[in-house]
Amino acid sequence: MRKINVFDTTLRDGEQSPGVNLNSREKLAIAKQLERLGVDIIEAGFPASSRGDFLAVQEIARTIKNCSVTGLARSVKGDIDAAWEALKDGASPRIHIFIATSDIHLKHKLKMTREEVKEKAVEMVKYAKERFPIVQWSAEDACRTELPFLAEIVEKVIDAGASVINLPDTVGYLTPAEYGNIFKYMKEHVPNIGRVKLSAHCHDDLGMAVANSLSAIENGADQIECAINGIGERAGNAALEEIAVALHVRNDAHQADSSLNLHELKRTSDLVSKLTGMAVPRNKAIVGDNAFAHESGIHQDGFLKEKSTYEIISPELVGVTADALVLGKHSGRHAFKDRLNALGFQFDSEEINKFFTMFKELTEKKKEITDDDLISLILEEKVTDKKIGYEFLSLQVHYGTSQVPTATVSLKNQENEQLIQEAATGAGSVEAVYNTLGRCIDKNIELTDYRIQSNRKGEDALAQVFVRVTVNGKETSGRGIAQDVLEASAKAYLNAVNRQLVLDCNLDGLKRQTAVGS
């Protein structure tokens, strides 16, 4: 049975989802969980796109040891150089170079001829091969490229040193039969195709990304590029969890499988959902809350008599457990630390003490603390450092059906230790809170998106709020978690502001370094 390499692009193509903006710490947390999941390649970002992305890719490459880390690069020497500097310390560095090959892209985007594109592709693959042991080359918009020309350029870049050839359905246009035929054609018409692995990268614009990926495997693809929860540009990428379980359950049909640790799928999905702020639909295959639920009486009767009547996948296979570990106010530090380690979190003693204190405070409000609660507690991002941003101290809201909602907020300015207290009204409680925070913070802030959900079922579930705001014209996002919805709302708003302040500070520092260097 063939082994299919899993190329995860959650941190690159997935982060390109509108409204998603991960910082370095969040990217590293996801990368560690992807390593735990057992993906073969992590596409950590686009190093040349920004200083922040460069540093995030560099940190991930230096940290991850059990899978290969790669970065995206245009067919530009500067991009390749940036990728090498970011990835050279990795355990198995590789680069992912792309250039468009369809006539529509050549005419309207690149303004190049086919011959010019072919020469550029060969030149850049050779240049990258001088540094990287593994070079992956992608024909952007391969799905709309004439097959004879695609075969011609693929043959040339293989001779130039490419180790992996990616043939993406960049716009999610093809049917499974059409997409599979591209791989079959390459196998039959490219003389040196046996020297490389073929990779598939499918988008979900017409809802066929997973089906197209499986069709590619059936026609010779050795690698699948996908993202957790199917996030990505526009309608997203092929969902990693769906492909992985489809290969496992139907390996009789596909004659191929991955080496993923499927028990980590649900945990990985939850982590990505929380950090990106992109909720997973309840009816989402494999990882949705309803994926293993049965409500119909007929289904329930059959399931109780024999699970296989209506269940082709066991919840345990993907890490869904009916009875999660419950901690409470009598739990000690040792049990708390062991549970964090089991969940994939590793902290030093100081951080353990900080989180244990937060855990104890939460047990005064909730009788039982589940794994979901612990994950939410840990992921309540503390982006402020001792000198940047604002610290949330207290919130008081007065509300009644015959009263104007009024909020009072206390913050501490981290830069000068100044205590800030303000009050304001609003049409509703959340608006009152945000109007008050706006008065506390001397910035032009506009709320553009507000979303709320609970971290699990039950009346004592924690509220999770995700917001998107503009701070002085720059868009950023934030996340807040608390048992009270209004407190979570305030923390999300403040978290977004602090993230932008930290980013602005880092950019100012970079500009000063550049000025001194010049």
Side-chain angles (χ1 to χ4, degrees):
M1 186 170 294
R2 285 194 301 139
K3 191 264 186 181
I4 303 299
N5 284 344
V6 175
F7 178 112
D8 182 272
T9 188
T10 303
L11 296 175
R12 200 275 301 170
D13 204 332
E15 200 204 9
Q16 292 174 201
S17 302
V20 175
N21 182 19
L22 299 170
N23 61 31
S24 294
R25 183 174 179 180
E26 291 164 339
K27 278 196 163 191
L28 183 60
I30 291 174
K32 288 181 177 179
Q33 180 56 31
L34 291 173
E35 182 181 35
R36 187 184 178 101
L37 176 61
V39 304
D40 300 285
I41 302 105
I42 296 174
E43 188 170 41
F46 190 168
S49 64
S50 71
R51 179 64 175 171
D53 220 31
F54 174 91
L55 293 175
V57 173
Q58 186 178 62
E59 184 176 15
I60 291 170
R62 291 174 174 176
T63 303
I64 300 301
K65 301 302 179 186
N66 296 318
C67 51
S68 179
V69 177
T70 189
L72 187 68
R74 295 167 298 180
S75 293
V76 176
K77 288 185 177 181
D79 280 22
I80 296 171
D81 292 340
W84 174 246
E85 289 302 315
L87 295 161
K88 63 182 180 181
D89 297 326
S92 180
R94 65 173 67 200
I95 190 171
H96 181 192
I97 306 173
F98 73 96
I99 192 168
T101 54
S102 69
D103 287 341
I104 191 169
H105 276 247
L106 268 60
K107 178 181 178 181
H108 298 289
K109 188 180 76 171
L110 297 182
K111 312 291 185 184
M112 296 171 68
T113 65
R114 287 182 172 183
E115 194 63 31
E116 288 171 335
V117 166
K118 187 167 57 178
E119 291 176 0
K120 175 62 71 172
V122 168
E123 178 189 0
M124 291 301 100
V125 168
K126 287 182 177 179
Y127 185 76
K129 191 65 176 178
E130 294 174 2
R131 295 155 178 76
F132 290 90
I134 301 175
V135 175
Q136 172 171 320
W137 180 82
S138 284
E140 186 184 11
D141 206 26
C143 64
R144 294 187 293 180
T145 302
E146 290 188 6
L147 292 181
F149 173 62
L150 186 62
E152 183 182 351
I153 194 171
V154 164
E155 180 181 356
K156 296 296 183 182
V157 295
I158 293 174
D159 285 338
S163 306
V164 181
I165 299 296
N166 181 39
L167 305 172
D169 186 3
T170 305
V171 293
Y173 178 71
L174 298 184
T175 65
E178 290 171 330
Y179 190 59
N181 183 61
I182 293 179
F183 290 82
K184 182 180 179 181
Y185 188 94
M186 294 302 117
K187 288 280 189 179
E188 294 174 349
H189 293 84
V190 178
N192 54 4
I193 199 70
R195 289 159 45 186
V196 298
K197 290 183 180 295
L198 288 179
S199 181
H201 180 117
C202 298
H203 280 265
D204 208 34
D205 298 72
L206 294 177
M208 293 187 287
V210 170
N212 283 349
S213 298
L214 294 174
S215 178
I217 290 173
E218 293 171 1
N219 286 276
D222 306 294
Q223 175 176 292
I224 295 297
E225 304 187 13
C226 41
I228 299 297
N229 299 336
I231 65 174
E233 286 274 11
R234 303 181 312 279
N237 290 271
L240 180 150
E241 62 279 358
E242 294 179 23
I243 294 172
V245 175
L247 288 177
H248 177 79
V249 174
R250 294 306 314 275
N251 54 36
D252 60 322
H254 303 296
Q255 292 297 303
D257 206 348
S258 72
S259 58
L260 294 178
N261 179 4
L262 300 183
H263 299 295
E264 293 294 329
L265 283 174
K266 176 61 174 173
R267 183 178 299 159
T268 311
S269 169
D270 289 346
L271 179 67
V272 171
S273 176
K274 286 181 171 68
L275 290 180
T276 60
M278 298 184 70
V280 175
R282 296 185 67 85
N283 65 331
K284 170 75 169 63
I286 312 301
V287 292
D289 286 346
N290 290 352
F292 303 101
H294 305 272
E295 185 167 326
S296 162
I298 296 175
H299 284 220
Q300 290 175 343
D301 178 67
F303 176 79
L304 290 172
K305 291 175 179 175
E306 169 54 51
K307 290 184 178 181
S308 63
T309 55
Y310 288 104
E311 191 173 88
I312 63 169
I313 310 162
S314 70
E316 293 76 17
L317 175 67
V318 298
V320 175
T321 56
D323 299 311
L325 174 72
V326 175
L327 297 175
K329 66 179 181 180
H330 299 297
S331 300
R333 194 182 309 269
H334 187 196
F336 176 76
K337 181 180 178 180
D338 282 350
R339 194 56 199 156
L340 290 187
N341 289 337
L343 290 172
F345 295 108
Q346 295 181 344
F347 301 107
D348 57 31
S349 298
E350 183 178 346
E351 288 178 310
I352 289 291
N353 291 336
K354 178 185 68 174
F355 288 126
F356 185 68
T357 299
M358 295 168 63
F359 160 73
K360 282 297 187 179
E361 291 174 353
L362 187 59
T363 62
E364 297 299 320
K365 303 176 182 178
K366 295 185 82 233
K367 182 178 179 180
E368 296 179 346
I369 310 297
T370 66
D371 288 354
D372 281 341
D373 293 327
L374 287 178
I375 292 172
S376 296
L377 185 74
I378 299 303
L379 295 182
E380 185 177 0
E381 182 71 33
K382 304 296 183 182
V383 300
T384 59
D385 65 20
K386 295 181 180 179
K387 297 297 182 183
I388 303 174
Y390 299 86
E391 179 184 352
F392 176 83
L393 297 179
S394 66
L395 168 68
Q396 187 172 10
V397 180
H398 295 281
Y399 171 79
T401 55
S402 60
Q403 297 176 335
V404 177
T406 305
T408 303
V409 173
S410 296
L411 305 178
K412 182 171 72 173
N413 188 319
Q414 297 279 45
E415 186 174 355
N416 55 23
E417 300 294 317
Q418 178 184 356
L419 177 66
I420 304 171
Q421 291 182 316
E422 287 286 355
T425 61
S429 298
V430 173
E431 183 178 314
V433 170
Y434 286 174
N435 286 343
T436 307
L437 287 169
R439 296 183 64 175
C440 292
I441 302 168
D442 185 24
K443 304 288 180 184
N444 182 15
I445 305 171
E446 180 183 356
L447 179 70
T448 58
D449 191 17
Y450 175 91
R451 281 177 269 158
I452 183 172
Q453 67 184 79
S454 63
N455 73 324
R456 65 185 188 92
K457 299 177 182 178
E459 61 183 17
D460 63 347
L462 296 179
Q464 298 183 119
V465 174
F466 175 85
V467 300
R468 190 176 302 125
V469 302
T470 57
V471 181
N472 291 341
K474 300 174 182 177
E475 187 175 74
T476 182
S477 59
R479 183 178 55 253
I481 300 168
Q483 193 168 27
D484 180 80
V485 171
L486 295 179
E487 182 182 345
S489 299
K491 288 182 175 180
Y493 186 95
L494 194 62
N495 178 259
V497 172
N498 283 337
R499 286 164 70 101
Q500 189 59 48
L501 294 178
V502 170
L503 179 59
D504 287 344
C505 181
N506 291 339
L507 290 175
D508 288 342
L510 178 61
K511 289 177 181 177
R512 287 194 294 270
Q513 292 176 14
T514 303
V516 171
S518 61

